[in-house]
Amino acid sequence: NLPREIEAALEDMGYFTPTPVQSAVYEKVMEGKDLMVQSRTGTGKTTAFGLPIVSSVDPGKRVPQGIILTPTRELALQVSRELQALSRQRGLAVETIYGGAPIGKQIDALRAGVHIVAGTPGRVLDLIGRRCLDLKNVRFFVLDECDEMLSMGFQEDIESILDETPASRQTLLFSATIPEGIQRLSRRFMRDPETLKLSGDFVGVHEIRHTYYSIPG
């Protein structure tokens, strides 16, 4: 039940068969459920949450309707590129927000109007504090690589950002592991979340072979 323009974008990207995480997530998100998804890196998580978001966002409202938090700027940029490709034929504006880049350009983009924001917690909070980023219209809140963000000490920032979003939002957590910190977040901020365990206790990437050489100093 994908919109035709999303189907066309997937074809342009060379995607013809969904991965298990994409198949498992799409319908549940479209039904309005909060999800905790345990899936290792390299399984297609970005498209898993990206497809229902770009299918649901209203192109006629240039306000942030979806926000994706990531632990690093590299992942934020990767998420933005994927969402831009998925939504190109719907005309959605996706902005990447992260530290270490000129803040003025990010402020200008937000003032011009964007539909989806992908960013790191520190810069997102900074722009909220400057009253340049308003999250009152957010429908989808995604934490990508959630366990990494918690291990990097972002829990307080994440909770502060969540407090800026409406209680009616959908919250989607994607993580290779689900430690106690994530469970605490889910109890406080999620509504009857469903857990999808797609990788079990295996957190590595199947397609990568790891090799090491022991050499003298």
Side-chain angles (χ1 to χ4, degrees):
N1 298 319
L2 287 170
R4 180 68 195 108
E5 60 265 33
I6 305 296
E7 283 187 10
L10 287 169
E11 291 170 8
D12 290 344
M13 296 164 71
Y15 293 172
F16 299 103
T17 305
T19 67
V21 67
Q22 292 161 8
S23 296
V25 165
Y26 182 81
E27 187 174 349
K28 293 183 183 298
V29 176
M30 295 300 284
E31 290 172 353
K33 294 180 179 177
D34 285 7
L35 296 179
M36 290 172 44
V37 183
Q38 184 177 2
S39 183
R40 64 185 179 278
T41 300
T43 55
K45 286 185 292 180
T46 303
T47 300
F49 61 73
L51 280 173
I53 291 176
V54 301
S55 298
S56 304
V57 163
D58 184 350
K61 296 180 179 178
R62 289 186 73 94
V63 293
Q65 298 171 53
I67 181 167
I68 299 96
L69 292 185
T70 70
T72 65
R73 64 181 181 181
E74 290 80 13
L75 184 54
L77 287 163
Q78 175 187 319
V79 167
S80 286
R81 284 193 296 269
E82 188 88 356
L83 296 186
Q84 285 164 356
L86 288 171
S87 63
R88 188 167 288 121
Q89 298 196 37
R90 296 206 75 209
L92 301 184
V94 182
E95 180 62 19
T96 319
I97 291 174
Y98 56 91
I103 198 168
K105 183 180 177 184
Q106 297 171 5
I107 290 173
D108 290 344
L110 292 172
R111 286 177 175 164
V114 300
H115 299 95
I116 302 171
V117 170
T120 52
R123 179 57 64 92
V124 168
L125 262 184
D126 187 359
L127 288 166
I128 290 172
R130 293 170 185 251
R131 299 184 183 278
C132 297
L133 177 59
D134 186 344
L135 302 182
K136 70 173 180 284
N137 294 292
V138 162
R139 297 170 55 195
F140 301 96
F141 188 101
V142 180
L143 291 177
D144 195 11
E145 305 287 1
C146 189
D147 51 354
E148 288 294 321
M149 275 192 280
L150 295 187
S151 70
M152 293 166 70
F154 284 130
Q155 177 143 357
E156 189 173 324
D157 288 353
I158 291 168
E159 293 180 359
S160 297
I161 296 167
L162 276 162
D163 285 335
E164 297 292 322
T165 62
S168 58
R169 70 180 183 273
Q170 266 182 270
T171 307
L172 311 172
L173 307 187
F174 287 78
S175 189
T177 60
I178 303 183
E180 174 57 29
I182 292 178
Q183 294 177 31
R184 283 199 301 271
L185 273 178
S186 72
R187 288 193 292 268
R188 180 175 171 192
F189 292 103
M190 301 178 79
R191 296 169 298 168
D192 192 23
E194 187 170 335
T195 301
L196 301 177
K197 291 194 173 184
L198 300 169
S199 60
D201 295 326
F202 184 82
V203 299
V205 181
H206 278 311
E207 293 77 16
I208 295 178
R209 183 183 67 193
H210 298 271
T211 305
Y212 77 91
Y213 295 89
S214 180
I215 61 172

